[in-house]
Amino acid sequence: MKHFFKVQGPMGASRLVPFLDCWNKHFYWHRYTVGTVSTINNKYSSTSIHAQWQATTERLLSTKDWNPARLHQFHEALKYWTHQGDIEQCWKLLDVLATQRHGRVVLPTSLFRPVVHLWQRLYKTQVYHPHSSESPTSGNPTSSLTPFQSLATPEQVAQRCQRYQQANVITSPVQHVGAMILDAAKGDLDFSMKYLQDWIQDPTREPPDVVAVGTVLQAHASIHPEQAERFWNQILQQLAQLEPNHFWYTSMVSAWAKQGNIAKAMEWMERMKQSFQPDLATWNSLLKAWAKSNEDPSQAESILEHMHTLHQQGQLSQLPDVVSYSIVLDAWAHHAETNPQAPYRAQQLLEQMGQMANQISYNTVIQAFTRAGNPQQAEILLTQMMQQNIRPDDITISLILSGWSRIGTLNAAERAEQILQEVMPLLGLQPSVVTYS
């Protein structure tokens, strides 16, 4: 069923708005002709709607008449392509507007910011997670992920923002847009630093906020925490009004933890406590520092117990989670060859986990016993694992086989072969290269 509405002048244009807006809510398609609007209901397929939007976009790209009705069409087209995840169509529309439209600002921040956010997600997915099947447009039959080769770099997007501002397409880029550009540019620290400094020195823009600066701090921390510390001090001299937030401190604790430097991680934890209560992620970072330092795992276990105490006192909103326990379990497993008590301490923690325990938890404790030369206890854990309805995998069996191979006796070899020939088929598992090794 079609409805026709005559478009005549500003009043006619303003009356189009309800019909344009209803498309977003009820999946209606609006096809614009000279003086006519056709509304096609949702009996048409998404492919047909997609083709119609492509045709309308082509007309918009060649238009010379930017009247109010046409601008509203532009806004709706931009919304559609943003929703579809087609960043190239968004850039084309914005580029033609910047080329042909000069005068008052015509694009609200509420429309431009989602476009930059879409680009940010696509860029991060394909640059930092190139093999990920995750996509902002997954499940959409009419769209596909933009190839990485055609994605604009953070520097190019920054240049686009500047060009759009000069053409009065947008106002001065808001803090959120700058933060998204910096977040996407974490792998290019030289650009991030230049962009941040240009931003600080630009009198037409609001100064960078704590979120935008935090992304650059994290980029420094990923290279080396000492570099991040220097940046911390430098930026607070330039932007005295900034107050470091929880994320800043967590980045520093995590950076030193990855280096295995317990003293520095503890130092930043204490600095953090002066302004914020460390959360679970921060405490887990500190646990990683102890685990990576190759120090006595009992220290890491003491921190785990302290986390429980803090939760009881209301100073930690979450109980230690599976990540917390896994870090300490792994620390004990790595000491199993030199500390006879290590596998048993790991087993006690596994029992404390209760329903939190998963396949990885059991595999870690099984590994502890096999490293300690006790494959019998590893097999007992395999049985408990299945009783808890946790399915073992080929890694579980490979660990037990490696435990028997450490024994080095004929009986041990026969038991390993029995597991390979009888137990694995019962579990529905196929031997892998690792298993045979």
Side-chain angles (χ1 to χ4, degrees):
M1 181 178 179
K2 295 183 179 180
H3 303 283
F4 299 92
F5 298 88
K6 196 68 174 178
V7 180
Q8 294 178 339
M11 290 301 293
S14 65
R15 289 172 61 193
L16 291 177
V17 174
F19 298 99
L20 295 171
D21 289 346
C22 76
W23 183 89
N24 289 325
K25 296 179 181 178
H26 305 292
F27 299 96
Y28 274 59
W29 162 253
H30 307 278
R31 180 164 54 86
Y32 301 91
T33 58
V34 178
T36 305
V37 177
S38 299
T39 303
I40 304 176
N41 63 27
N42 59 359
K43 71 180 180 180
Y44 289 86
S45 68
S46 59
T47 304
S48 173
I49 292 174
H50 191 72
Q52 296 267 18
W53 273 115
Q54 285 180 320
T56 292
T57 301
E58 288 302 319
R59 288 196 294 274
L60 286 170
L61 293 176
S62 61
T63 189
K64 303 293 183 183
D65 178 20
W66 289 101
N67 57 48
R70 194 69 68 189
L71 283 173
H72 196 83
Q73 295 173 30
F74 176 91
H75 290 174
E76 293 300 310
L78 194 62
K79 288 180 187 177
Y80 176 78
W81 292 118
T82 303
H83 176 73
Q84 293 298 306
D86 194 328
I87 190 64
E88 292 306 311
Q89 289 282 33
C90 295
W91 292 140
K92 286 179 183 178
L93 285 167
L94 289 166
D95 285 347
V96 74
L97 197 62
T99 302
Q100 298 184 13
R101 174 80 182 187
H102 294 273
R104 67 181 180 83
V105 174
V106 295
L107 192 66
T109 301
S110 60
L111 287 180
F112 182 65
R113 188 164 55 187
V115 174
V116 181
H117 186 217
L118 168 65
W119 163 80
Q120 176 200 19
R121 288 190 295 163
L122 293 175
Y123 188 85
K124 289 178 67 176
T125 297
Q126 295 196 9
V127 174
Y128 304 116
H129 308 285
H131 304 297
S132 172
S133 59
E134 217 175 300
S135 166
T137 56
S138 60
N140 193 326
T142 63
S143 65
S144 60
L145 197 64
T146 308
F148 170 62
Q149 290 77 8
S150 65
L151 281 176
T153 64
E155 184 174 5
Q156 290 170 334
V157 172
Q159 291 169 352
R160 281 182 187 272
C161 290
Q162 186 177 17
R163 190 167 70 251
Y164 297 156
Q165 181 187 354
Q166 291 171 349
N168 283 326
V169 172
I170 60 171
T171 58
S172 175
V174 295
Q175 289 177 332
H176 294 300
V177 171
M180 286 187 280
I181 292 173
L182 286 171
D183 181 57
K186 285 178 182 176
D188 187 351
L189 193 55
D190 289 339
F191 165 75
S192 296
M193 287 296 293
K194 182 180 183 304
Y195 182 83
L196 183 63
Q197 290 301 321
D198 289 346
W199 185 353
I200 292 171
Q201 295 167 16
D202 186 349
T204 67
R205 299 181 64 179
E206 293 183 23
D209 64 3
V210 69
V211 176
V213 177
T215 61
V216 183
L217 174 71
Q218 189 181 47
H220 280 286
S222 67
I223 297 173
H224 199 281
E226 286 184 356
Q227 185 173 325
E229 285 188 355
R230 288 194 296 270
F231 173 76
W232 179 299
N233 296 327
Q234 172 196 340
I235 202 68
L236 289 183
Q237 289 177 359
Q238 288 185 282
L239 301 170
Q241 77 280 7
L242 277 186
E243 293 186 6
N245 63 6
H246 192 281
F247 174 77
W248 284 33
Y249 286 102
T250 300
S251 295
M252 294 306 304
V253 174
S254 179
W256 283 114
K258 288 176 182 177
Q259 296 285 324
N261 192 322
I262 301 170
K264 291 295 290 187
M266 289 291 291
E267 176 190 324
W268 277 96
M269 177 74 89
E270 292 303 315
R271 287 180 63 173
M272 183 179 189
K273 288 178 181 178
Q274 295 174 16
S275 304
F276 304 98
Q277 286 187 355
D279 61 4
L280 184 59
T282 312
W283 280 106
N284 283 347
S285 293
L286 190 62
L287 281 176
K288 288 177 186 176
W290 280 100
K292 199 164 185 176
S293 69
N294 208 32
E295 297 286 341
D296 183 0
S298 61
Q299 296 293 334
E301 190 171 337
S302 296
I303 293 175
L304 185 66
E305 293 171 359
H306 182 60
M307 291 165 67
H308 277 282
T309 302
L310 289 175
H311 178 72
Q312 293 171 358
Q313 295 174 348
Q315 297 179 41
L316 184 61
S317 60
Q318 295 172 274
L319 279 167
D321 60 3
V322 66
V323 174
S324 315
Y325 278 93
S326 296
I327 294 169
V328 184
L329 287 176
D330 195 54
W332 280 119
H334 277 88
H335 283 75
E337 294 181 65
T338 57
N339 184 345
Q341 294 301 313
Y344 296 98
R345 295 288 290 271
Q347 186 177 13
Q348 290 173 1
L349 285 176
L350 183 69
E351 293 169 357
Q352 288 179 26
M353 291 179 72
Q355 296 298 317
M356 276 195 295
N358 58 21
Q359 185 186 82
I360 296 174
S361 310
Y362 272 94
N363 283 354
T364 303
V365 182
I366 286 172
Q367 184 181 47
F369 278 106
T370 58
R371 282 179 171 175
N374 191 345
Q376 299 92 336
Q377 187 61 33
E379 286 197 39
I380 292 174
L381 283 170
L382 173 64
T383 302
Q384 293 177 1
M385 185 179 185
M386 292 186 292
Q387 290 173 346
Q388 296 296 322
N389 294 319
I390 299 173
R391 180 177 173 79
D393 60 1
D394 60 327
I395 295 176
T396 314
I397 303 303
S398 298
L399 289 169
I400 294 174
L401 291 176
S402 71
W404 284 113
S405 69
R406 284 171 179 262
I407 303 299
T409 64
L410 179 60
N411 288 339
E414 290 175 348
R415 178 55 183 161
E417 185 174 358
Q418 183 182 15
I419 292 172
L420 190 65
Q421 300 296 331
E422 298 178 12
V423 177
M424 287 196 76
L426 286 175
L427 296 174
L429 297 173
Q430 295 294 326
S432 64
V433 175
V434 176
T435 309
Y436 281 116
S437 299

